[in-house]
Amino acid sequence: MAQKQESFFWTSYSDLMTSLFFVMLVLFVLACAMLKNKINEVEQQKEATERELAKIKEIEESIEAIDTTFFEYNSVHKKHILKINVQFKTNSSDINDIPFEQQKELRAAGISISKFLKNSSEDVKYLLIIEGQSSKDNYPGNDMLSYNRANTLKHFWAHQNIDFGNKCEVIVSGSGQNGIMRVQPDNAFNEKNQRFLIHIIPKPGVMERIENEINEVYK
């Protein structure tokens, strides 16, 4: 009787060990599968990040290709700005305030922007911001005056048949006697602030699209 009980014990023990072995084997295989999936996920995230960095680098390099004859990069404000020194008369937004030689330069700058856009990547869009400014003389109409100065340049380029196509959104704005990148001393006597600035920057939607691509991978 004792021998049968002992035999039954070892049989049960053997079955238990066999079951535990298969349980451990299944857990090991499952752990390996989960680890492989995690590795694949990390690799996908790495590839997505590399694509993002490559696209950002492409955008930065494309902006660097802007003609330095007319534009320079302002590292403080991280913008390419117009180098041509233009200046309106007090309380005026008439394009004829600008000497003819500078008007020719403005036309050439517009053509340069158009060529840059045509040669840029198809999936990169830009914002061309024309910002009008005015002297800090507390004239009550400075906001509208500065806007009109910016709008003057937009119409000037249009009359010159300069087309920026669908890669660029043109935004006209007026910062009045405020804003940034003002000529010092910033007072009522400094007529150099009676001008407009031009900024060329990648359109925010470009970065949003890249971020959406990354988010799709991380889901």
Side-chain angles (χ1 to χ4, degrees), residues 81-194:
I81 62 171
L82 185 70
K83 292 167 62 174
I84 303 171
N85 184 24
V86 297
Q87 185 175 319
F88 291 90
K89 294 179 180 178
T90 302
N91 299 339
S92 171
S93 59
D94 188 347
I95 192 67
N96 293 316
D97 289 354
I98 301 172
F100 181 69
E101 287 300 317
Q102 290 182 348
Q103 290 186 36
K104 289 171 59 178
E105 289 184 299
L106 288 174
R107 181 179 183 276
I111 294 173
S112 175
I113 295 172
S114 180
K115 289 181 178 178
F116 161 74
L117 293 170
K118 289 179 181 178
N119 295 328
S120 63
S121 175
E122 288 295 332
D123 60 345
V124 179
K125 309 295 183 181
Y126 296 90
L127 291 178
L128 173 61
I129 303 174
I130 308 174
E131 175 194 347
Q133 292 187 331
S134 61
S135 296
K136 190 166 288 186
D137 55 8
N138 295 319
Y139 171 61
N142 271 337
D143 288 341
M144 182 55 67
L145 176 62
S146 61
Y147 174 86
N148 289 338
R149 285 171 175 166
N151 205 35
T152 291
L153 179 59
K154 180 183 178 182
H155 287 291
F156 172 77
W157 277 337
H159 291 155
Q160 298 293 324
N161 297 317
I162 297 174
D163 181 22
F164 300 122
N166 59 3
K167 289 185 182 180
C168 180
E169 180 180 356
V170 180
I171 296 179
V172 176
S173 66
S175 58
Q177 58 188 42
N178 300 303
I180 59 175
M181 301 174 63
R182 296 181 61 83
V183 181
Q184 301 299 322
D186 189 8
N187 55 39
F189 304 102
N190 194 341
E191 296 180 348
K192 291 183 178 180
N193 282 317
Q194 297 169 181

Side-chain angles (χ1 to χ4, degrees), residues 29-42:
V29 173
L30 182 60
C32 288
M34 292 176 64
L35 180 60
K36 183 178 180 180
N37 288 338
K38 190 64 178 178
I39 292 174
N40 290 337
E41 181 181 339
V42 171

Side-chain angles (χ1 to χ4, degrees), residues 54-68:
K55 179 55 66 176
I56 292 174
K57 183 177 180 181
E58 178 185 347
I59 293 173
E60 290 177 345
E61 289 178 349
S62 69
I63 296 177
E64 290 175 0
I66 295 176
D67 193 344
T68 55

